[in-house]
Amino acid sequence: MKQMEEKILREGQVLPGDILKVGSFLNQNIDTEFLGQMAQEFARLYEGAGVTKVLTIEASGIAIAAAVGMEMGVPVLFAKKHRTSNVDGSTYSAKVHSFTHNEDYNVVVSSSYLTSDDRVLLVDDFLANGQALNGLINLCEQAGAEVVGIAIAIEKCFTGAGDRMRADGLRIESLAMIESMTDSEIVFRS
Ligand code: 5GP
């Protein structure tokens, strides 16, 4: 999506540790008109895929997922982040390692909200090492739900995680794909 690349070039800031800051339009101060365009693009890409539910992870995925769910006319579920895992049977839980914060946490959804009838579109703001997505995929496996695709605003291709997941057979659509980034240059996959 050309507009996403242009937004990143205009407003993104590359921080130490390979972190791209997009707080001015996506992660803190949300450009709602642009969010609507993103959602339309994801809905176009996944038209006909039979998506019944959008699943994301709190907090930064929620706005994007909500916009996509509204555009596609399906419910939006977000996994909560917990420090400890709850094993009382009423929830599905998976451990995730965050490289950005260098800590482990559990992603948790209520088992009543994710079922084997669901065809799930996973949505997130960034795909870096794939840990967050793998946690969400794990939750879907526990529920017997089918992951029909993944919708990502910004993929950091240089980690290789997205391409490994594609090689495993997952469909991933990313609106911007970053091959390399420094504080003076961001190069997109063409
Ligand atoms: P992964 O689990 O794929 O390594 O990382 C994905 C999660 O980490 C996303 O949910 C996102 O919130 C966060 N993240 C990863 N890289 C970046 C980045 O460069 N910038 C921002 N703002 N968040 C990131």
Side-chain angles (χ1 to χ4, degrees), residues 16 22 26 34-35 65 71 77 93 110-111 116 119 132 158 166 170 178 189:
V22 287
L26 196 60
F34 184 60
L35 186 68
E71 191 65 38
L77 177 63
S93 165
S110 167
S111 51
S116 56
R119 292 174 54 79
F158 51 85
R166 288 184 182 94
L170 287 164
I178 298 178
R189 182 174 288 186

Side-chain angles (χ1 to χ4, degrees), residues 114-125:
L114 191 61
T115 74
S116 56
D117 291 333
D118 281 316
R119 292 174 54 79
V120 179
L121 177 64
L122 304 180
V123 171
D124 207 0
D125 56 347

